[in-house]
Amino acid sequence: MASTSKWTFLQAMCLVVSLSIAVPDNYGEVIKVGYGGSYLNEINYDDQVEEEETPTPTPEPCKAPAFTKWDKLFTMLENSQMKENMLLQYTDDIIKVELQSLREEMLQFVAQYGGSCASAVESSVRRVGTQTETRLQNALERVREVSADQYAQQDAALQQLLVASANQALRLEQLENGCLKWGGGGLASQSKSFQARHLMQEVTETENGGRLEKALATISSELQTIREQLTLNTRMAFANSLPSGCDTGLLFPTRSSTAHVEISPKTPFQTSAVTICLWVKPTQVLNKTILFSYSTTGNAYELQLVLSGQTVFFTVDGESHLVEASGAVEEGQWAHICAAWSSYQGLASLWVKGQQAASSAGVAEGHELRSKGSILLGQEYGPSFRHHSIPDTFDVEQAFTGKMTGVNMWDRVLDSKEISQQARQDGSGCGIRGNVVAWGVSDIEPKGGVKLIY
């Protein structure tokens, strides 16, 4: 209440100051103040006119001074404050009475119904506890039954695993002989050590479940180690060997302006269809690397297989007629690539790892390949080529580095089955030979440091 009185007093002072500033000393305007009904201290219009026109008479010595309009204004403000305080006090009393009545009703309600609610809650808790205990007992019994069944099944499974481990050891012993020629001597000694140190020991401890599980984990770990070494040795063997049963291959050791291989076709040919297949393992692929090039005296770019990064391009009658397949090769990995073209409708396609990767129509449609041309591997002759004037050096930026094998060429378009048979790395695709260029039959002449490998 004290803070409310202070706030009201401050408001009054602000009002007085505002009025003092707004009304000059010599104001001539009429002030009209309305505050509801009639009050003894109300400033009416006659008083204002009288105060403005008639000067204030000098008070007699024994009479009280007359109230000015400011005194009356302060009196009005005090009356307003008193009414406000009375209203707040009345509201506070009403709230207190209502709260006291609500408190009494709540106490009466708790006294009347508290006992029955507590007993109901206690009964519900007791019932839930009994049901939970019963369910736990049933669950424990089922767990015991399942555990017994699982233990019996695990024991039988462990016995079967022991027998399988013995069989696996025999199979590993047979695999040793096949891996020795690929550097598997260490694997053989490890397999023998594994058999000597663990196999008989695990069989003798079958009656002890804990030891049996530990022994089984040890067997599994060592089998995994042997499997990983077998995989590694197999990869090393494939990395150092030639794919698809090929007996010979070509090694382009460095990028050189003289490194290339010349191939002589089995017979002269003139055709309107062709298929070229080869295995390639690039050491490095740059913007333009030549794999296969067929040139004639009239056209140095009759046929070309070109690498650009991991993308392979097949061009017929110049670079304006081509088809391309992205993601065809990776550095250090063998990849099988076939390119097929038919003059009829200019249908051209590229096959990567036995699957068609790209195709296009209208590629050199109606064109016919000329005969008596020259085939190069790893380079191209370029526009200055003349059949009787073969250049000695080439563009070093287009030179191929890596390995190549299984190069074959046909004067027809092969079907998908014939292409996929050649693309199996662990198969015998090298036994399928072309009728224009046949790998292992056609004459090849490595030059510029290119080596024939076996």
Side-chain angles (χ1 to χ4, degrees):
M1 302 298 290
S3 60
T4 306
S5 301
K6 290 180 181 180
W7 176 246
T8 306
F9 180 74
L10 289 175
Q11 289 179 337
M13 289 300 295
C14 291
L15 180 60
V16 171
V17 173
S18 301
L19 291 173
S20 301
I21 296 173
V23 182
D25 294 339
N26 56 351
Y27 66 92
E29 298 177 357
V30 178
I31 300 177
K32 295 182 180 181
V33 180
Y35 196 78
S38 295
Y39 293 94
L40 295 175
N41 57 352
E42 181 179 356
I43 301 174
N44 53 34
Y45 177 76
D46 296 334
D47 293 338
Q48 294 178 3
V49 173
E50 181 182 355
E51 185 177 356
E52 291 176 0
E53 296 179 354
T54 305
T56 304
T58 304
E60 296 180 4
C62 297
K63 294 182 179 180
F67 289 104
T68 65
K69 62 179 180 180
W70 299 112
D71 296 333
K72 294 179 180 181
L73 181 61
F74 275 113
T75 303
M76 291 164 56
L77 291 174
E78 290 177 357
N79 291 339
S80 299
Q81 181 178 353
M82 291 176 61
K83 289 182 179 181
E84 183 181 358
N85 292 340
M86 292 173 63
L87 181 60
L88 292 174
Q89 182 66 33
Y90 179 71
T91 305
D92 190 32
D93 293 341
I94 291 176
I95 293 174
K96 288 182 179 179
V97 171
E98 293 295 332
L99 289 176
Q100 183 66 24
S101 176
L102 182 61
R103 181 173 179 275
E104 291 176 358
E105 291 180 0
M106 288 297 297
L107 290 175
Q108 184 179 0
F109 177 81
V110 171
Q112 183 177 358
Y113 298 103
S116 59
C117 290
S119 60
V121 171
E122 183 179 0
S123 176
S124 299
V125 171
R126 189 181 300 107
R127 184 168 56 255
V128 171
T130 303
Q131 294 176 356
T132 304
E133 184 177 0
T134 303
R135 291 178 181 177
L136 287 175
Q137 291 292 338
N138 295 335
L140 287 174
E141 291 177 0
R142 287 196 298 270
V143 168
R144 292 191 186 97
E145 294 174 359
V146 172
S147 298
D149 295 339
Q150 288 182 348
Y151 182 80
Q153 294 175 1
Q154 290 176 357
D155 186 54
L158 289 174
Q159 294 294 336
Q160 294 176 0
L161 286 173
L162 284 174
V163 175
S165 298
N167 295 334
Q168 185 70 15
L170 294 176
R171 292 194 185 103
L172 289 173
E173 186 176 2
Q174 294 174 358
L175 288 174
E176 291 172 7
N177 297 328
C179 293
L180 285 175
K181 64 178 180 180
W182 307 114
L187 179 63
S189 61
Q190 182 175 357
S191 178
K192 291 177 180 179
S193 175
F194 161 71
Q195 296 175 34
R197 286 186 291 106
H198 295 285
L199 184 58
M200 296 305 298
Q201 180 180 356
E202 307 342 315
V203 174
T204 57
E205 294 179 355
T206 55
E207 295 180 358
N208 191 320
R211 292 183 180 180
L212 187 59
E213 292 181 3
K214 184 177 179 180
L216 182 60
T218 304
I219 292 173
S220 177
S221 176
E222 296 214 14
L223 285 175
Q224 181 65 26
T225 302
I226 294 174
R227 187 180 297 110
E228 291 175 357
Q229 291 187 357
L230 280 172
T231 303
L232 179 60
N233 288 342
T234 302
R235 290 179 179 176
M236 292 177 61
F238 276 116
N240 295 325
S241 65
L242 299 172
S244 196
C246 295
D247 296 328
T248 59
L250 296 169
L251 173 62
F252 297 76
T254 59
R255 189 178 296 275
S256 168
S257 61
T258 59
H260 67 283
V261 175
E262 296 179 3
I263 297 182
S264 300
K266 293 172 60 178
T267 57
F269 71 98
Q270 185 170 353
T271 180
S272 57
V274 68
T275 301
I276 304 167
C277 293
L278 53 83
W279 282 94
V280 62
K281 181 182 178 182
T283 303
Q284 185 182 24
V285 289
L286 300 177
N287 292 334
K288 184 177 182 181
T289 302
I290 306 298
L291 297 179
F292 180 98
S293 176
Y294 175 65
S295 304
T296 62
T297 55
N299 188 353
Y301 305 104
E302 284 282 1
L303 295 173
Q304 278 194 331
L305 269 177
V306 182
L307 288 181
S308 180
Q310 294 184 342
T311 303
V312 60
F313 294 87
F314 176 45
T315 67
V316 182
D317 191 25
E319 295 183 356
S320 60
H321 307 284
L322 59 83
V323 60
E324 62 179 280
S326 59
V329 297
E330 295 181 12
E331 293 182 355
Q333 300 293 328
W334 282 107
H336 187 260
I337 299 173
C338 280
W341 169 81
S342 173
S343 176
Y344 178 70
Q345 296 182 349
L347 295 176
S349 60
L350 275 171
W351 299 69
V352 178
K353 299 178 182 178
Q355 302 294 325
Q356 182 173 320
S359 64
S360 179
V363 177
E365 183 178 357
H367 180 70
E368 187 175 20
L369 298 177
R370 300 182 182 182
S371 61
K372 298 181 179 180
S374 297
I375 298 176
L376 287 185
L377 300 180
Q379 265 296 353
E380 66 176 9
Y381 283 121
S384 61
F385 168 72
R386 294 292 183 271
H387 186 68
H388 297 290
S389 178
I390 299 176
D392 296 329
T393 59
F394 304 89
D395 186 355
V396 67
E397 298 297 329
Q398 299 179 359
F400 170 75
T401 57
K403 295 180 181 179
M404 194 181 300
T405 188
V407 182
N408 291 282
M409 180 176 176
W410 293 261
D411 59 358
R412 62 182 180 88
V413 175
L414 301 186
D415 58 32
S416 58
K417 184 177 180 180
E418 291 175 304
I419 293 176
S420 61
Q421 287 177 347
Q422 302 177 58
R424 293 183 55 187
Q425 187 167 352
D426 56 349
S428 56
C430 266
I432 303 174
R433 295 180 172 86
N435 62 340
V436 176
V437 174
W439 185 254
V441 177
S442 298
D443 294 334
I444 59 174
E445 188 176 354
K447 294 183 178 181
V450 180
K451 300 178 181 178
L452 192 64
I453 57 176
Y454 301 92

